[in-house]
Amino acid sequence: MPKEINIDIAGMTCASCVARVERQLRKQPGVCEATVNLATEKATISYDDTRTDPATLTQAIRDAGYDPQVKTQELAITGMTCASCVGRVERTLGKLPGIISASVNLATEKAHIDYLPASCSLHDIRTAIQNAGYQVTEVATTEEQEDAKREGILNALRRDLLIAVSLTLPLLFIVMAPMFIPGMDQNISTLLSPVIRDWLEFLLATPVLFIAGRRFFRQGWAELRHLSPGMNTLVMIGTSAAYGYSLTALLFPEIFPAGTAHLYFEAAAVIVTLILLGRYFETRAKGRTSEAIKKLLRLQSKTARVLLSGQELEIPIEEVQPKALIVVRPGERIPVDGVVSEGSSYVDEAMITGEALPVQKTVASEVVGGTVNKNGTFIFRATRVGADTVLAHIIKMVEEAQATKPPIQQLADRIAGIFVPAVIAAATVTFVVWLAIGPSPALNYAFVAAVSVLVIACPCAMGLATPTAIMVGTGKAAEMGTLFRKGTAIELLAKVDTIVLDKTGTLTLGQPALTDLEIIRLTEAQVLILAAAAESRSEHPIAQAIVNAAKGRQLKLPTVESFEACPGLGLTARIEGKLVQIGADRYMRQLDITIEEQQQTATRLAEQGKTPIYCAIDGQLTAILAVSDPLKPGSREAIAHLRAMGMQIAMLTGDNRQTALAVAREIGIELVLAEVLPDQKLAEIKRLQGNNQRVAFVGDGINDAPALAQAEVGIAIGTGTDIAVEAGDIILMSGDLRGLVNAVMLAKKTLRTIVVNFIWAYAYNIALIPVAAGVLYPLTGLLLNPMLAATAMSVSSLFVVSNSLRLRNFRNLISSETPSRQQQIPARES
């Protein structure tokens, strides 16, 4: 039967718009009918869901040039315990009409949902999740709310655990003490008759299962109802079997074969208690995986000191409006983003760039909310507030990265979907085999082995293996000044073998600077004053570099008496009675100024990728100036480390070959792709990928957007105040390439952590399920007790979470304090 959905569409203005959308939709495979109503701005589509889906249909509308109305909602879900729970919620949501995507994260206990509000309401989504057996709440918006929510969950677990422990310990004493303490059996028998002791076991175990352990039965039954068994199902079946067997043996012992009417109340109670204990520690540990988000939230100021009518007034941060004047004193945290209008100071921007050195702020400097003012008082004008601030964007990006699933997790989810049914089948086979060929009493052996298989195979560790590592890894990266916009980028970056870097603005500062001043006569200061004064009348970028150099030395520029520009050649100016002429070699020859003796110096500068400029005063050659786009600090160190890690490094630039090869030699890059136009960069990336290379492209995220999108991983260079680079999967906020080295190392370590987690979770299950089933019994006479199985299952989950938390100890491989090392190697062109 075809499905039908409605999609709200913005941007349509006439009948031709309607016809265009309808044509585009009807071209999609699987679309039976598509009708668009201009008045309601709604499309009604009938389609075969085996051939297309809502995501494809909304993209078709975008391709037609219109805007399908898609909402994004994040919901907090409680009650999930394993990978099967995650899969169940995602499948439940996927069955709703109008759901474009639904990604559920076990570690954060959140669902990230994109849906069509015209076809599916938020109420429908909530109801579906609740019907699947889970609780839905709004996502906490503040750290206090998040802490309160997690504390509530911990308190509930603590309460149930105390109930379970207080009843299970005396139960264990009654059952186990006679086995290990000589004479205790006689003492207990004196106090309690066998019948009273059996009923006391029943009275102690019942509250443990149905009060302290009620969550397993409530959620396990919901899993079975939806034909999607998970961890709770396994616990419910295992403990119910032990409890039901014992209760039947207590009430009707005569129906059992001789010697098989044993009681297993203590096994059922201990299983529930141990799993509750594991769940409690696991929940506490999972809370630590979100520490990065908590740290970022703590950076948000609660109030701001605003200037109103000349008076300072402290107001809640939510009430700050753009253009408001805000006063910041020494030691205070800057509340929102803005531009300094009065005063100066040094600001610690470590939370943005990952660099510890404070940055000087003067009038017209940008400041970022969440950074810390160090020693001066200044006033700034707010430019971005609320959700528009840099800090808000950082928090949003980290949360989105933690919500997305890398390919390895998608594979794990598919495995988890068949794992639990397979375990139930294995437990059934175990029971039948033991019953058929086991020693007497076969029923007891069959029962113990089957329950052990069910309990030890709980897939908690599988569901936590990836999201916990992704949460800690992305959070640690944010602390270091690197933003992973997608969780998938971590796995992809860890696997790249080729890194292609744009030159201008990535390897270099992106703006010309005066790098050399070769004096022939006069002094450096005298030449620079006259040259800068003359160039101050020019708008050429090279002229600006010379003026900036003079300003940097705090030289006072004299008045220019006359000025004449010669386009493409140079300029002539008269300053303080002196004739100043600046330009290229051909300009000097045109002026009949001899430059042959300095030709070797000019050639040397040109071979270094610099632009030589001649300066003559009163008709005599006085100096050669060289301007170039200097390398960023740390670029050489970064390239050296990346090459040492086995990466192939290439430079992609639109600059001429001579300049590109000079920069490559200086920085240590072998492969150079020069004179590449912006629209050709994508083709170069494709060419490398065609050689079976996994490519990461590093660029500014704007001019290089096509190449960033084409590469396996797009890495955008940001400056801290310009982080909303949509084209990149990863953003280096400080713009320092040493951050790229640290990001690659962290990605590799995170992927290794995920792999170790999976090896532990799956190898653990694969190895211990046969042990629980009793394969060692013929050799050793040992059969795994269900209580030990429950302990082993809890240990598995705690190992996975603890292993992921080790990523918090990651340290930068190199930093801005790393000493510079020159590395010259021959560069080759591609």
Side-chain angles (χ1 to χ4, degrees):
M1 289 291 292
K3 281 191 173 182
E4 186 176 284
I5 61 168
N6 296 312
I7 304 178
D8 290 326
I9 303 174
M12 298 188 299
T13 57
C14 62
S16 63
C17 297
V18 170
R20 189 177 302 116
V21 176
E22 287 181 344
R23 282 196 304 272
Q24 188 72 15
L25 287 170
R26 287 168 182 165
K27 283 194 294 186
Q28 304 308 310
V31 172
C32 306
E33 184 56 48
T35 305
V36 179
N37 187 312
L38 181 61
T40 60
E41 296 184 307
K42 192 186 298 288
T44 301
I45 307 161
S46 177
Y47 67 100
D48 179 355
D49 64 346
T50 63
R51 301 178 61 196
T52 191
D53 54 36
T56 303
L57 299 175
T58 53
Q59 186 56 49
I61 294 171
R62 290 191 188 97
D63 292 342
Y66 302 95
D67 186 17
Q69 300 299 287
V70 178
K71 276 193 174 182
T72 298
Q73 182 68 43
E74 200 170 51
L75 294 174
I77 302 177
T78 55
M80 297 187 299
T81 55
C82 64
S84 296
C85 298
V86 170
R88 183 175 313 108
V89 176
E90 289 180 343
R91 285 193 299 272
T92 298
L93 291 172
K95 293 175 183 176
L96 294 175
I99 296 291
I100 294 175
S101 66
S103 176
V104 179
N105 189 308
L106 178 62
T108 60
E109 297 180 314
K110 291 177 182 176
H112 187 85
I113 307 160
D114 293 329
Y115 68 101
L116 300 168
S119 297
C120 179
S121 68
L122 187 56
H123 174 74
D124 296 333
I125 294 172
R126 287 172 171 275
T127 302
I129 296 172
Q130 289 166 350
N131 288 341
Y134 304 95
Q135 294 78 50
V136 189
T137 59
E138 291 293 339
V139 174
T141 55
T142 66
E143 184 187 355
E144 290 79 7
Q145 289 175 329
E146 185 72 32
D147 289 344
K149 175 190 162 191
R150 190 165 298 280
E151 193 59 35
I153 295 171
L154 274 173
N155 286 338
L157 274 170
R158 190 183 296 113
R159 182 189 63 241
D160 289 342
L161 180 60
L162 287 174
I163 294 172
V165 169
S166 61
L167 295 172
T168 301
L169 287 178
L171 175 58
L172 271 177
F173 180 80
I174 292 171
V175 176
M176 298 294 183
M179 300 180 188
F180 298 103
I181 303 175
M184 184 58 67
D185 186 30
Q186 185 178 354
N187 293 335
I188 291 178
S189 297
T190 303
L191 293 173
L192 303 170
S193 68
V195 174
I196 293 176
R197 184 164 57 181
D198 291 347
W199 280 100
L200 183 58
E201 289 180 30
F202 162 76
L203 292 174
L204 290 170
T206 300
V208 175
L209 263 71
F210 301 112
I211 296 178
R214 63 192 180 282
R215 68 187 69 227
F216 302 118
F217 290 86
R218 183 177 61 246
Q219 294 167 1
W221 177 245
E223 291 170 0
L224 281 180
R225 213 158 23 92
H226 289 83
L227 301 178
S228 183
M231 174 204 165
N232 296 294
T233 304
L234 298 181
V235 175
M236 180 183 73
I237 293 174
T239 55
S240 295
Y243 183 85
Y245 185 99
S246 304
L247 184 59
T248 305
L250 178 63
L251 296 174
F252 310 106
E254 67 278 359
I255 69 172
F256 288 84
T260 62
H262 292 295
L263 302 185
Y264 294 96
F265 286 122
E266 84 286 353
V270 169
I271 288 171
V272 168
T273 302
L274 288 174
I275 294 176
L276 279 173
L277 180 64
R279 183 78 60 83
Y280 175 74
F281 285 123
E282 180 187 302
T283 302
R284 284 186 60 184
K286 277 163 59 178
R288 293 168 64 196
T289 63
S290 60
E291 195 65 32
I293 292 291
K294 290 180 180 178
K295 285 181 180 177
L296 290 171
L297 288 170
R298 290 189 197 112
L299 296 176
Q300 293 180 320
S301 300
K302 301 294 186 291
T303 61
R305 192 177 293 106
V306 178
L307 273 180
L308 290 173
S309 303
Q311 300 293 318
E312 292 184 14
L313 181 64
E314 194 164 303
I315 64 173
I317 193 71
E318 296 82 10
E319 297 179 12
V320 176
Q321 298 296 317
K323 298 185 179 180
L325 288 174
I326 300 171
V327 181
V328 183
R329 294 172 181 166
E332 292 183 342
R333 199 172 288 280
I334 297 169
V336 295
D337 299 354
V339 177
V340 177
S341 59
E342 183 180 327
S344 65
S345 182
Y346 282 85
V347 173
D348 180 356
E349 294 187 335
M351 77 93 175
I352 289 291
T353 63
E355 299 294 340
L357 293 177
V359 180
Q360 186 177 20
K361 300 294 179 180
T362 57
V363 174
S365 297
E366 290 192 3
V367 292
V368 180
T371 56
V372 179
N373 180 30
K374 300 299 286 185
N375 56 0
T377 298
F378 62 88
I379 300 172
F380 74 94
R381 189 175 299 277
T383 56
R384 291 184 292 265
V385 301
D388 295 327
T389 63
V390 169
L391 181 57
H393 279 296
I394 293 173
I395 293 171
K396 184 172 183 288
M397 285 183 183
V398 174
E399 287 178 333
E400 287 176 351
Q402 293 178 347
T404 56
K405 294 184 178 182
I408 194 171
Q409 176 63 28
Q410 295 166 9
L411 173 64
D413 290 346
R414 289 196 295 272
I415 295 173
I418 61 173
F419 183 79
V420 175
V423 168
I424 294 175
T428 304
V429 170
T430 299
F431 183 83
V432 171
V433 170
W434 273 99
L435 197 60
I437 63 174
S440 180
L443 182 61
N444 287 86
Y445 283 107
F447 170 76
V448 169
V451 171
S452 294
V453 169
L454 288 170
V455 173
I456 206 165
C458 291
C460 308
M462 299 175 196
L464 293 169
T466 298
T468 52
I470 291 292
M471 283 183 70
V472 180
T474 52
K476 187 65 184 178
E479 290 179 20
M480 296 171 3
T482 301
L483 286 182
F484 286 88
R485 293 183 64 237
K486 303 172 185 175
T488 54
I490 288 186
E491 181 175 349
L492 294 173
L493 181 60
K495 294 179 178 179
V496 299
D497 50 34
T498 303
I499 296 181
V500 180
L501 302 113
D502 180 49
K503 182 179 79 71
T504 306
T506 300
L507 290 166
T508 66
L509 292 174
Q511 55 188 21
L514 181 67
T515 56
D516 297 82
L517 181 54
E518 300 283 346
I519 296 298
I520 300 169
R521 52 179 54 87
L522 301 182
T523 66
E524 281 194 6
Q526 289 173 320
V527 173
L528 191 54
I529 285 172
L530 293 172
E535 294 285 11
S536 66
R537 292 291 188 91
S538 173
E539 296 180 355
H540 196 280
I542 288 179
Q544 190 61 50
I546 296 172
V547 173
N548 289 342
K551 288 181 178 178
R553 297 192 189 187
Q554 297 182 334
L555 300 176
K556 186 177 181 181
L557 303 185
T559 303
V560 179
E561 297 164 7
S562 65
F563 176 85
E564 181 184 356
C566 301
L569 295 172
L571 60 83
T572 297
R574 187 164 292 277
I575 305 167
E576 295 182 336
K578 290 183 172 63
L579 179 65
V580 180
Q581 295 167 307
I582 303 173
D585 54 356
R586 58 184 179 276
Y587 187 46
M588 295 295 112
R589 291 190 181 98
Q590 182 178 310
L591 296 172
D592 291 329
I593 296 174
T594 303
I595 61 171
E596 277 67 26
E597 292 181 7
Q598 306 302 324
Q599 197 68 51
Q600 188 174 354
T601 300
T603 301
R604 173 176 56 81
L605 293 170
E607 287 175 349
Q608 294 173 2
K610 301 171 183 177
T611 303
I613 304 160
Y614 295 89
C615 176
I617 297 176
D618 292 332
Q620 288 188 311
L621 187 63
T622 305
I624 299 177
L625 299 85
V627 172
S628 72
D629 185 3
L631 291 175
K632 284 184 177 180
S635 292
R636 292 190 189 90
E637 291 82 9
I639 298 304
H641 276 84
L642 290 171
R643 293 180 69 242
M645 290 161 60
M647 299 281 186
Q648 179 180 359
I649 310 297
M651 184 174 74
L652 191 63
T653 179
D655 277 357
N656 65 71
R657 285 181 174 82
Q658 185 179 12
T659 301
L661 290 169
V663 171
R665 280 194 300 270
E666 183 181 3
I667 204 169
I669 294 178
E670 293 179 312
L671 181 60
V672 178
L673 310 169
E675 298 181 5
V676 179
L677 297 176
D679 58 348
Q680 296 173 337
K681 290 183 178 181
L682 183 144
E684 290 292 345
I685 299 296
K686 282 185 175 179
R687 184 174 67 80
L688 291 170
Q689 291 171 326
N691 297 329
N692 295 320
Q693 293 172 267
R694 297 190 184 99
V695 180
F697 179 73
V698 189
D700 65 12
I702 300 170
N703 298 329
D704 302 316
L708 284 165
Q710 175 62 35
E712 273 81 3
V713 182
I715 303 171
I717 295 291
T719 59
T721 55
D722 183 25
I723 65 160
V725 184
E726 295 300 325
D729 304 308
I730 302 170
I731 299 170
L732 300 179
M733 296 172 62
S734 69
D736 191 326
L737 282 181
R738 285 171 290 203
L740 173 61
V741 178
N742 297 322
V744 171
M745 289 299 297
L746 179 59
K748 288 181 178 292
K749 189 167 184 180
T750 301
L751 183 60
R752 281 199 300 269
T753 299
I754 293 172
V755 170
V756 170
N757 285 349
F758 273 127
I759 289 174
W760 173 267
Y762 284 104
Y764 167 90
N765 283 112
I766 292 169
L768 290 187
I769 287 175
V771 174
V775 295
L776 298 180
Y777 183 83
L779 300 174
T780 65
L782 296 176
L783 188 61
L784 191 65
N785 188 293
M787 292 183 283
L788 293 178
T791 303
M793 187 275 290
S794 298
V795 168
S796 176
S797 298
L798 291 174
F799 171 85
V800 164
V801 177
S802 301
N803 189 46
S804 297
L805 287 171
R806 290 170 59 240
L807 288 169
R808 298 197 308 177
N809 300 324
F810 179 85
R811 294 290 180 266
N812 287 352
L813 182 64
I814 55 174
S815 67
S816 58
E817 287 75 30
T818 302
S820 177
R821 296 188 303 275
Q822 183 79 17
Q823 183 183 18
Q824 295 272 351
I825 65 170
R828 61 185 174 87
E829 294 183 56
S830 173

